[in-house]
DNA sequence: GCATTGACGAAGG
DNA sequence: CCCTTCGCCAATG
């Protein structure tokens, strides 16, 4: 998927790629920005993944951004959702336990695109 | 064009 | 796991 997706200018279609990957995260699973970045080839700049997510809420096919957290499993982006509680609410529905802004057993729920999707 | 900021990551403590 | 420092790249002022 999309690693080579770039415009004529050389600008990667970062948004599309990120959204595409995030949408493929199975229910009850979560991943980190770095993992997505790694899969897209922008591993060194995980910030760009997060930045791309900034526009995610504008996307027509809603991106399950609640399944994307930082490397520690912390819901760092919860304040960017419609409501600050929406993120953990959604995660709870997927049987993911969130305690104190963090995901319990993060490693157990971890979903690496470069592995699960078969890099 | 430089400085600041950011839904981050790794390493050291 | 939390904190600090540094690095990363694009957007913004």
């Amino acid at each position: 998927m999309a690693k080579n997706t770039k415009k004529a200018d050389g600008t990667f279609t970062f948004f599309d790629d990120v959204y595409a990957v995030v949408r493929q995260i199975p229910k009850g699973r979560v991943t980190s920005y770095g993992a997505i970045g790694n899969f897209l080839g922008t591993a060194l700049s995980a910030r760009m993944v997060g930045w791309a997510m900034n526009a995610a809420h504008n996307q027509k096919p809603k991106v399950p951004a609640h399944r994307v957290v930082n490397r520690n499993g912390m819901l760092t982006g919860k304040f960017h959702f419609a409501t600050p509680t929406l993120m953990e609410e959604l995660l709870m529905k997927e049987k993911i336990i969130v305690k104190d802004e963090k995901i319990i057993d993060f490693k157990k729920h971890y979903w690496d695109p470069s592995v699960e999707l078969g890099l």
Side-chain angles (χ1 to χ4, degrees), chain A residues 53-109:
Chain A
M53 298 305 292
N54 238 323
H57 69 92
N58 281 321
Q59 291 300 307
K60 318 305 186 316
K62 300 288 170 55
V63 180
H66 60 276
R67 293 182 187 147
V68 186
V69 294
N70 73 350
R71 68 173 173 91
N72 278 328
M74 302 182 75
L75 282 56
T76 48
K78 63 178 295 182
F79 297 108
H80 292 261
F81 284 76
T83 63
T85 55
L86 180 60
M87 189 171 187
E88 43 187 284
E89 291 285 311
L90 292 170
L91 288 172
M92 282 300 190
K93 288 179 184 175
E94 313 212 345
K95 305 297 180 283
I96 296 176
I97 313 300
V98 177
K99 184 67 175 178
D100 190 36
E101 316 281 294
K102 296 180 294 292
I103 294 177
I104 303 300
D105 292 324
F106 176 57
K107 290 183 62 176
K108 192 188 285 187
H109 297 291

Side-chain angles (χ1 to χ4, degrees), chain A residues 3-79:
Chain A
K3 215 164 165 179
N4 293 322
T5 344
K6 47 161 57 175
K7 297 175 183 174
D9 303 48
T11 312
F12 286 90
T13 55
F14 214 60
F15 294 13
D16 299 325
D17 291 346
V18 173
Y19 305 151
V21 174
V22 174
R23 288 198 202 96
Q24 282 153 79
I25 303 176
K27 291 181 73 74
R29 293 292 192 88
V30 287
T31 192
S32 62
Y33 301 93
I36 296 173
N38 183 36
F39 179 70
L40 296 179
T42 54
L44 298 178
S45 49
R47 297 183 124 140
M48 297 300 91
V49 179
W51 175 79
M53 298 305 292
N54 238 323
H57 69 92
N58 281 321
Q59 291 300 307
K60 318 305 186 316
K62 300 288 170 55
V63 180
H66 60 276
R67 293 182 187 147
V68 186
V69 294
N70 73 350
R71 68 173 173 91
N72 278 328
M74 302 182 75
L75 282 56
T76 48
K78 63 178 295 182
F79 297 108

